[in-house]
Amino acid sequence: MADLAFLWHMHQPDYRHPETGHFTLPWALLHALKDYPDMASHLERHPAIRCTVNFVPVLLAQIEDYCDQLATRQWRDPLLRILAWPNPDQLEQADRDWLLDMAFRCHAPTMLEPFAPYRRLRDLLAFVRSQDADGLAYLSGQYYADLATWYVLAWSGESLRRGPGPIAALMAKGGNFELADREALVSEIGKVLKGLIPRYRALADRGQIELSCTPAHHPLAPLLLDFGVAREAQPDCQLPAAPGYAGGRSRVEAHLQLAQHSHRQRFGQTPKGLWPAEGALSTAFLRQIADAGFTWTASSQGVLRHSAGPGADTGVPWQAPEDIPGDLTLFFRNEHLSDLIGFEYARWHGRDAAAHFMSEVVTLHERAPEGLIPVFLDGENAWEYYPYNGWYFFNDLYESLARNPAIRTLTLSEAAEGHRHRRQRLPRLVAGSWVYGTLSTWIGNPDKNHAWELLCEVKQCADRVLENAAADAGQRQQIVTLLAVCESSDWFWWLGDYNASESVSAFDRLFRDNIRALYRLLGLPAPSSLDHPISRGGGAPESGGTMRRAT
């Protein structure tokens, strides 16, 4: 029997402004309406399917922040504030500008073009903009009310559209949404978000899924520990001028401890497995993962290839190198199958894609009857490119898997135990990630290196303040919390000319705002370099709303 182990990774970085607490971008909210409910629904409708679902604590914290907003109606996200605004004719200009900038950021072929009322809103905006500088003044408050409503409707999951709530009725109405319509939508958003964490906890409690975690704020841990590891897979990588990130080991340890605490608090159990941010591992990081008590971790085929040679098999678990303490099991994902789901199948009919995937799995099973098939990818960013948010693909895939007696789905802890006798010893670990098997997406580019230098500078300043006995406990906690946000891998991901310029600019600005706020907490003047963008400009056109991981 072939064992198929899915891992669905759920992550969004912290979009909250460090001083106001307001959300600068709505992606955590929108994925919480579109992808997290749908992924839970697929599993609830197919109870025979087992898998691992990975949540990053910083995403869960933002979901809880939204739940608080929806309970108290103290809006910190402009989209919710606009949606709930009683008289849209009196919307503030800043909210109008924000909505016009954001409300068509989606993958248009699947999320905009199918809906005639949404298309009309887009075309009307294009028309008034083409006239003269005052054209936007002709847009009524009703236009903004309809636009905010349709933006949420377009980002609603297929399970919500098919459910008993108001979303299907609002989509059928099409426009001229009244306050009662928008209030019904706000209420539905509150119900959906409040139920997310309990839904996944229930799936885990009944044994259908395993919940794993990632270090709290999604740091690129191998680089926090040592910039030099970037040269293990890429010897010519240009490193930042700073020799390294001071105190990186203690910072990685703090992220691991926070992740374990988050998991126990929200899911009622200690996580056994750790999906590292971006699948990025190094030898030093492996030691910390083992020391923290995790029993398994994972990365990608590129890292395995660099570490054990081109013929190394992803179809077996691997035991950590001999110099790693404990008994840590490593999994390396099958890149071909994972990338078919992440990038290729969105262009296929759902049933054809599911059938093709099944044929690929059967072929692997025939070659290695006792083999393990590890398929790991984002559980959120690919689906906007699929018709109907991947509904038919998942329905046919999960049904086909449930009917096939030769293929068993299982969690990664089950795979570690069931395939323990097949483990091979990894001779060494070459540091890398699930992107190309290297760390080049986060270091080596001049803009990325400059961001690391800014982070290293503020970290040294933070260390001096934290070493001062005069600093009170509240101040210390604020400093450490904001420092963790600044250590996220996502800031470095976005810098570079291969991403959409609008997104690059937004992440660049928020990263600098976080560092500037940290200097204020420290009581120190921020360097003038923070007044200037890090990025030399993105180059890719804007298409979808969020990052689509190059897995």
Side-chain angles (χ1 to χ4, degrees), residues 95-344:
D95 283 342
R96 293 178 180 231
D97 293 342
W98 182 92
L99 187 61
L100 294 181
D101 179 52
M102 292 297 303
F104 299 107
R105 293 200 195 183
C106 61
H107 185 58
T110 55
M111 298 176 66
L112 194 158
E113 297 295 346
F115 308 116
Y118 197 17
R119 290 200 312 270
R120 285 197 293 270
L121 294 171
R122 177 200 58 189
D123 295 343
L124 180 58
L125 178 61
F127 174 77
V128 298
R129 278 179 166 164
S130 71
Q131 300 307 301
D132 56 46
D134 297 325
L136 295 179
Y138 289 94
L139 296 177
S140 68
Q142 187 64 58
Y143 177 88
Y144 290 97
D146 286 0
L147 183 56
T149 303
W150 262 107
Y151 193 35
V152 172
L153 294 176
W155 277 88
S156 296
E158 195 67 17
S159 60
L160 305 185
R161 295 174 183 176
R162 295 164 183 256
I167 288 176
L170 292 174
M171 296 181 81
K173 182 175 182 178
N176 292 315
F177 297 116
E178 301 171 358
L179 179 59
D181 296 323
R182 291 181 280 114
E183 286 290 353
L185 185 54
V186 169
S187 176
E188 180 71 0
I189 294 170
K191 293 176 185 175
V192 172
L193 268 63
K194 186 178 180 181
L196 280 178
I197 293 174
R199 286 176 77 179
Y200 282 96
R201 180 169 178 168
L203 285 165
D205 287 346
R206 71 176 184 231
Q208 186 177 351
I209 69 171
E210 175 181 4
L211 289 166
S212 61
C213 69
T214 295
H217 282 265
H218 207 262
L220 216 293
L223 295 179
L224 289 187
L225 296 170
D226 180 5
F227 290 158
V229 298
R231 289 180 169 169
E232 291 182 8
Q234 191 181 21
D236 60 349
C237 178
Q238 296 297 310
L239 301 181
Y245 189 66
R249 190 180 192 286
S250 64
R251 293 301 307 138
V252 170
E253 182 179 355
H255 281 277
L256 290 170
Q257 290 176 349
L258 282 171
Q260 291 172 316
H261 173 74
S262 162
H263 207 87
R264 286 190 293 267
Q265 182 183 46
R266 292 172 170 123
F267 299 122
Q269 55 184 270
T270 299
K272 295 180 179 179
L274 180 97
W275 172 256
E278 311 296 356
L281 292 175
S282 67
T283 299
F285 186 31
L286 272 186
R287 290 195 183 97
Q288 288 197 255
I289 295 170
D291 287 343
F294 291 97
T295 60
W296 65 260
T297 190
S299 187
S300 196
Q301 195 166 0
V303 173
L304 178 62
R305 191 181 304 118
H306 291 154
S307 302
D313 186 7
T314 62
V316 298
W318 290 78
Q319 191 171 4
E322 290 184 355
D323 58 343
I324 303 299
D327 189 28
L328 189 64
T329 297
L330 279 72
F331 297 99
F332 296 94
R333 73 178 190 133
N334 182 306
E335 289 180 351
H336 171 65
L337 288 179
S338 302
D339 287 349
L340 281 174
I341 296 176
F343 299 101
E344 176 62 29

Side-chain angles (χ1 to χ4, degrees), residues 373-445:
I373 305 171
V375 176
F376 312 156
L377 66 152
D378 277 4
E380 57 201 354
N381 288 315
W383 318 133
E384 64 199 74
Y385 299 87
Y386 279 69
Y388 302 98
N389 208 41
W391 180 268
Y392 292 103
F393 167 71
F394 272 105
N395 197 56
D396 286 328
L397 176 62
Y398 281 177
E399 284 187 3
S400 297
L401 287 169
R403 289 196 307 264
N404 193 320
I407 302 168
R408 175 177 60 180
T409 57
L410 74 176
T411 70
L412 284 172
S413 283
E414 291 170 340
E417 184 62 29
H419 289 258
R420 185 179 182 84
H421 64 287
R422 303 179 62 241
R423 283 197 309 182
Q424 297 182 22
R425 173 75 72 174
L426 196 66
R428 61 172 183 149
L429 179 70
V430 174
S433 74
W434 69 351
V435 186
Y436 315 126
T438 73
L439 300 175
S440 61
T441 301
W442 300 272
I443 198 168
N445 171 282

Side-chain angles (χ1 to χ4, degrees), residues 14-24 76 478 482 485 510 512-522 526:
D14 198 334
Y15 295 112
R16 293 169 292 189
H17 191 275
E19 293 176 308
T20 67
H22 291 182
F23 283 79
T24 61
R76 293 180 290 279
Q478 286 182 300
L482 187 49
V485 175
L510 186 53
R512 289 182 288 114
D513 285 347
N514 277 302
I515 292 186
R516 191 181 291 112
L518 184 50
Y519 275 109
R520 290 196 186 101
L521 273 179
L522 298 171

